[in-house]
Structures are given as structure tokens and as C-alpha cells.
Amino acid sequence: MAQLWSWSAACGGVATDRDDDPVPPDLRRTGDFLYLRLRRSSYASAELDAWAARLAPFLDDGVDACVFLRHDADGTMAVAAETMLARLASPRVAA
């Protein structure tokens, strides 16, 4: 991790349909921004809420986040991305 920090390189966290682990990957900022790829074929509303809650502390600290959701043929994941963005844009209460 120290090497990534020294180069200000972003290391991406990835979540896919192939993950057997029910616990999502750790989010660690290794560069100037956070990089995350959400590659599951679908996300329930509660899952989007959980990802938004995990991203919020980074955004609140002024860290940019590049979050990519899986592309699909019908635009479902584009709607999920818009949903997550709306959740992140709404006012949050600090824990």
C-alpha cells in the first residue's frame, strides 16, 4: 500500500457476481481518488444504500470517487447509477 501511496496510484475495489464472500471489498484510498467497479448484474435498493453509505465518508472528506457500474443492454445499471448518485447527493447525517 505504501508503494501505491508514493506513486499516488489508485487501486480499484471490485465486486462481481462471482464473489462467494458476502462481505464487500474494503474501500481504501491509495491515491488522490477512490476507484471502484461494481460489476454485479443487479443491485437491490438496500445494496445501493449500503454502497452509498460506504462511499459517503470519502466524499465528505473531499475525496473524488470514480465508481463504475456494469454495463448492460437495457440500461438497468444506468438507472442504478443514477439512483446511487441521488442518494449520495441528498443530505447525510454524520454518524
Side-chain angles (χ1 to χ4, degrees):
M1 293 302 254
Q3 190 79 31
L4 291 171
W5 269 108
S6 71
W7 293 336
S8 198
C11 178
V14 179
T16 71
D17 286 333
R18 297 182 196 157
D19 294 338
D20 291 333
D21 190 353
V23 177
D26 285 342
L27 296 184
R28 295 183 186 193
R29 186 175 141 228
T30 58
D32 294 334
F33 61 93
L34 187 66
Y35 180 80
L36 182 61
R37 298 182 66 85
L38 302 180
R39 303 282 300 147
R40 295 201 171 155
S41 55
S42 65
Y43 287 91
S45 181
E47 291 172 309
L48 293 176
D49 287 339
W51 279 110
R54 294 181 74 210
L55 288 167
F58 293 96
L59 299 175
D60 290 343
D61 283 344
V63 176
D64 289 331
C66 296
V67 180
F68 297 90
L69 277 75
R70 181 181 182 154
H71 63 278
D72 60 9
D74 65 4
T76 299
M77 295 311 287
V79 173
E82 292 281 337
T83 300
M84 183 182 291
L85 184 60
R87 289 180 172 132
L88 288 166
S90 64
R92 293 183 290 278
V93 177

